[in-house]
Amino acid sequence: MSRDIKKEKEWAKTKYTRILGDIDKDLGDELKEKLKKEGKSIAGWISENAKKYLKKN
């Protein structure tokens, strides 16, 4: 059975929001390295911090 990429893309659009941003290279590299050592993904870190931020404000 082959994957229906079109269907998967539509499903992802309803489930997720893409957030992009450019930050200072040194800061970004340091963040990626620390997250890698902790076994966390960038998406997981953003979600975790978004929840904290929205609860406090």
Side-chain angles (χ1 to χ4, degrees):
M1 185 169 155
S2 63
R3 291 172 57 184
D4 188 342
I5 303 298
K6 196 174 196 179
K7 208 173 199 179
E8 286 180 29
K9 188 175 180 180
E10 287 303 313
W11 174 83
K13 281 177 151 181
T14 63
K15 179 138 174 85
Y16 301 108
T17 296
R18 183 171 296 267
I19 297 176
L20 302 172
D22 293 326
I23 61 172
D24 180 72
K25 183 168 178 46
D26 293 336
L27 180 62
D29 290 343
E30 186 177 348
L31 175 61
K32 288 195 307 187
E33 186 62 34
K34 185 168 184 173
L35 291 174
K36 185 178 179 182
K37 287 179 183 175
E38 294 176 356
K40 294 181 179 179
S41 68
I42 296 284
W45 184 83
I46 291 172
S47 294
E48 181 182 313
N49 284 284
K51 288 174 187 174
K52 288 178 190 175
Y53 180 75
L54 292 172
K55 284 182 182 177
K56 289 184 178 181
N57 292 320

